[in-house]
Amino acid sequence: MAAAAGVSVGTVSNVINRPGSVSDETRSRVQAEIERLGYVRSEFARQLRAGRSRIIGMLVLDMGNPFFVNVAKGAEETARAAGAGVMVCNSGQSLDAEADYLSLFAEQRVRGVLLTPADSTGRNLDVLRRNNIPYVLVDRVAADDSTLCSVSVDNVSGGAMAVRHLLSAGHRRIAFVGAGPDLQQIRDRHTGALLALAEAGLAPDSLVECAADRLDVAAGRDAGARLLGLSPRPTSVFCANDLLALGVLQTMFAAGVEVPAEMAIVGYDDIEFAAAAAVPLTSVRQPALTMGSMAAELLLEESGDDAEPHQHRHVVLPPELVVRTSSMGLSQLGKPRSG
């Protein structure tokens, strides 16, 4: 390539890595040869020279959930602005898949990892620790660990917001649809729901528990069918995420149960589909883009060349209740509001 362009190997290297150091005429001539030959530089070789990868690994629980898509988008935008790239993988809440992907990240010597752990014990993270690969927890609180950074939302507050809203509308028989106890986020939302009930002088067993084995629309439809079979039937339901809530909404619609007149529904995450549902869905909004962006900033800072020691931080963002038709009283219908 260098001979064909009539320049030295060093000049070709400058065009690829430091284009501003080469004249416009020389850079154009070299780039024309690069395009003609279809050259793609070796990231592995560059990494060996630089001693650090430009790739950030990201492992999320469910890429089928638009919430995690937006978190990944926020991280990617921030990483790209810093000259890095993000390789996104999906654990599907599988501990084995999580372990495999973290091992792959370690083998590839990524610059760092952003992840929402599926394994509550943290054992799968040992491979990152052994290889001195920094990582940041996303959508997970790590306030009791001073050795790492985390970015999360106050899910206890979010769960309380949802149930306070239903209580203020006059509901006293409220169901909670959520997955098993392994995910801290879901436990915190459940804790917030119980907190709101206690504030209203209601016992914990006044919350009708409806467990789901997954956090998707199909599991929500199944939960909705079980709610329909209860006697007395709850008049409202708080779902641990929007996909579950959309599934419950589908079941109610198919059964002819009017939402919100006969069953009020509140979700969590405020994904794009929430506002576009047949009955626009009330939801607790998480700032997904901000979460991903801040996590990437913390990881880039920790893995950067700054001589100053990195200070691990635990960022907890506030949620926001967005009220739409699915939980409104009859007098409020047609007047969506946020608050």
Side-chain angles (χ1 to χ4, degrees), residues 45-325:
R46 190 212 66 81
Q47 182 177 330
L48 287 176
R49 290 192 300 272
R52 186 180 65 188
S53 173
R54 293 188 305 138
I55 301 299
I56 291 172
M58 185 168 191
L59 187 59
V60 301
L61 290 177
D62 181 11
M63 281 303 291
N65 186 337
F67 165 73
F68 286 111
V69 174
N70 286 331
V71 172
K73 182 179 179 182
E76 189 273 338
E77 290 175 350
T78 296
R80 186 174 182 182
V86 178
M87 178 170 62
V88 182
C89 298
N90 176 38
S91 73
Q93 299 183 50
S94 164
L95 273 60
D96 290 339
E98 177 179 89
D100 289 343
Y101 279 126
L102 293 179
S103 293
L104 175 64
F105 291 157
E107 290 170 8
Q108 296 298 315
R109 294 296 188 268
V110 296
R111 176 166 175 171
V113 174
L114 304 172
L115 79 155
T116 305
D119 180 10
S120 60
T121 69
R123 284 191 294 266
N124 282 342
L125 300 177
D126 287 345
V127 66
L128 301 180
R129 301 185 189 104
R130 288 196 303 270
N131 289 278
N132 296 315
I133 297 175
Y135 59 92
V136 174
L137 300 187
V138 186
D139 192 32
R140 181 67 56 84
V141 179
D144 58 346
D145 192 334
S146 61
T147 66
L148 56 87
C149 290
S150 66
V151 181
S152 61
V153 164
D154 187 345
N155 285 299
V156 174
S157 175
M161 280 181 183
V163 173
R164 286 183 191 127
H165 168 65
L166 292 172
L167 290 168
S168 70
H171 296 284
R172 291 299 180 269
R173 187 162 174 79
I174 302 171
F176 176 77
V177 176
D182 291 339
L183 295 178
Q184 181 66 50
Q185 306 95 307
I186 308 303
R187 292 201 303 271
D188 286 348
R189 292 165 200 176
H190 183 263
T191 297
L194 294 177
L195 176 64
L197 290 175
E199 291 172 352
L202 299 174
D205 59 8
S206 64
L207 187 69
V208 180
E209 306 284 351
C210 187
D213 57 359
R214 302 177 311 282
L215 292 168
D216 56 24
V217 174
R221 287 195 294 264
D222 176 69
R226 282 181 279 135
L227 290 174
L228 287 176
L230 296 179
S231 182
R233 182 190 298 169
T235 62
S236 62
V237 55
F238 168 41
C239 297
N241 75 2
D242 283 344
L243 297 183
L244 289 171
L246 291 171
V248 171
L249 178 60
Q250 288 177 9
T251 296
M252 298 302 149
F253 186 81
V257 175
E258 292 187 21
V259 175
E262 297 178 84
M263 179 72 75
I265 303 174
V266 177
Y268 205 103
D269 290 337
D270 195 33
I271 61 176
E272 184 177 356
F273 300 133
V279 179
L281 182 67
T282 294
S283 185
V284 178
R285 176 179 293 163
Q286 296 201 83
L289 288 170
T290 300
M291 192 182 303
S293 177
M294 294 188 72
E297 287 178 4
L298 291 172
L299 186 62
L300 290 166
E301 178 185 301
E302 183 175 359
S303 59
D305 297 323
D306 197 329
E308 294 294 323
H310 174 72
Q311 297 294 319
H312 291 297
R313 300 193 294 281
H314 303 297
V315 179
V316 180
L317 301 170
E320 176 190 5
L321 179 68
V322 180
V323 180
R324 300 189 180 95
T325 309

